[in-house]
Amino acid sequence: MSASGGTKAIVAALAANLAIAASKFVAFAFSGSSSMLAEGVHSLADSGNQALLLVGGKKAQREATPQHPFGYGRERYIYAFLVSIVLFSVGGMFAIYEGYEKIKHPHEIEHWYWPVGVLLFAIIAEGFSFRTAIKESNPLRGDHSWTEFVRRAKAPELPVVLLEDLGALVGLVLALGGVGLALLTGDGVWDGIGTVCIGVLLVLIALVLAAETKSLLLGESAGTDEVHKIETAIVDGDTVTRVIHMRTLHLGPEELLVAAKIAVRHDDTATEIATAIDAAEARIRQAVPIARVIYLEPDIYSETEAAKGPDPAASPGGPAQHPTDH
């Protein structure tokens, strides 16, 4: 996995969640707190999720084969999508069910110092993991807001870890509130209410992750800045005079496919066109290093044809990305 895959953040989150899960289950055994059980399952699910991200990153490194000529870069998207499913089912739905049962059949929390102590320890450990994820994300985030980063990131691991850690921290505060109110009032219903709130939070985070990862699985284009760099690199003003239309597609977080129809002069020889295409490909790779697969189709630009507008049949995606380029 490349550095942008956030391996350090994943390993930090995995170590923190394994330690926290063990402590939460011990606290549940001594106190009977449903919040502790829900949080323990949540941490266990998060640990499994981080393991899935590591497996996906490893599988994505496989070389291309005749059956998969563009490689396995999208394995990272598939495993990230599995994370959202695990978080929804094992984490969120279990917590909602457990909280509902606790509200129906409340009981007093025993040995209160176990859940309170474990929750405080978990907040510190999750805070460390969250800090690591933020530190790893900042160089990639740039000037974008955190919401834009989660929505636009092509590498799924860091957004997943960020949302999981944020959900874990908020969930721990909810659990601490539920346990605290149950202790103050002597009513175990509050513990169940806190557990339900944790479940709803996890379901919402899982839905956000599923929506964002689905978009990556369907195939996203390069960012606006990268598209502009590619267009600028293609045109040399001599043999290649303009980009007629272009498509980009992420084959993986660090693998970009570029397909473009380019305008050449009508009196250029085949040798001159081939040389110009090779030079354009070299310029593209220099401008955008993740452009691994490049297809450039030469054509003669026609103002008459351009005036008709983009051809919907030009590619499976419908109208060209930049109709104004015609």
Side-chain angles (χ1 to χ4, degrees):
M1 190 186 303
S2 70
S4 62
T7 307
K8 184 177 179 180
I10 298 173
V11 172
L14 177 60
N17 279 313
L18 286 174
I20 292 169
S23 64
K24 287 175 180 176
F25 283 125
V26 170
F28 164 71
F30 280 95
S31 68
S33 168
S34 65
S35 291
M36 282 291 91
L37 178 59
E39 276 293 311
V41 172
H42 173 197
S43 294
L44 197 61
D46 280 354
S47 301
N49 289 341
Q50 277 108 44
L52 284 173
L53 293 177
L54 291 173
V55 170
K58 184 68 175 177
K59 286 183 173 291
Q61 294 178 346
R62 289 180 292 172
E63 296 292 333
T65 64
Q67 187 177 6
H68 297 92
F70 293 117
Y72 294 84
R74 290 194 181 183
E75 289 264 20
R76 286 165 69 175
Y77 300 151
I78 293 171
Y79 278 83
F81 189 75
L82 290 176
V83 165
S84 67
I85 295 174
V86 172
L87 194 63
F88 179 87
S89 57
V90 178
M93 297 309 294
F94 175 83
I96 291 174
Y97 170 78
E98 180 64 22
Y100 172 75
E101 286 295 315
K102 185 61 178 289
I103 292 172
K104 283 182 63 178
H105 309 289
H107 62 80
E108 186 178 351
I109 295 177
E110 301 173 354
H111 307 291
W112 63 269
Y113 43 84
W114 275 101
V116 172
V118 166
L119 286 172
L120 293 176
F121 162 73
I123 288 174
I124 294 171
E126 286 289 0
F128 169 77
S129 175
F130 193 43
R131 178 179 175 275
T132 303
I134 290 174
K135 187 177 179 181
E136 291 281 291
S137 301
N138 273 328
L140 299 175
R141 183 171 67 93
D143 296 330
H144 296 298
S145 67
W146 286 107
T147 301
E148 290 175 328
F149 173 70
V150 170
R151 295 190 62 183
R152 296 182 181 183
K154 305 304 180 185
E157 291 85 3
L158 284 173
V160 168
V161 174
L162 280 168
L163 286 176
E164 279 191 347
D165 285 350
L166 177 62
L169 283 170
V170 176
L172 288 167
V173 173
L174 291 173
L176 191 60
V179 171
L181 287 171
L183 292 172
L184 289 173
T185 63
D187 189 351
V189 168
W190 287 107
D191 187 28
I193 292 173
T195 306
V196 170
C197 291
I198 292 169
V200 172
L201 172 69
L202 295 181
V203 167
L204 291 175
I205 290 176
L207 292 175
V208 171
L209 287 177
E212 294 303 320
T213 313
K214 174 190 172 185
S215 179
L216 293 170
L217 279 172
L218 289 174
E220 289 189 355
S221 65
T224 304
D225 291 342
E226 290 173 325
V227 169
H228 177 70
K229 289 179 182 178
I230 293 170
E231 290 175 335
T232 302
I234 290 176
V235 178
D236 62 7
D238 183 16
T239 303
V240 182
T241 59
R242 70 173 63 216
V243 176
I244 298 175
H245 66 72
M246 183 175 75
R247 299 287 188 274
T248 60
L249 178 69
H250 269 274
L251 302 173
E254 286 88 31
E255 296 174 281
L256 187 65
L257 181 149
V258 179
K261 179 172 284 191
I262 59 176
V264 297
R265 302 185 188 281
H266 71 279
D267 55 351
D268 287 335
T269 66
T271 300
E272 290 173 332
I273 292 173
T275 301
I277 288 175
D278 290 341
E281 290 179 352
R283 292 194 300 271
I284 292 170
R285 291 192 171 95
Q286 184 176 7
V288 182
I290 66 171
R292 306 287 177 83
V293 183
I294 303 173
Y295 297 109
L296 301 180
E297 178 187 353
D299 201 353
I300 305 300
Y301 178 73
S302 168
E303 291 186 0
T304 303
E305 290 298 319
K308 295 178 182 179
D311 180 9
S315 75
Q321 279 182 317
H322 302 285
T324 55
D325 288 338
H326 286 265

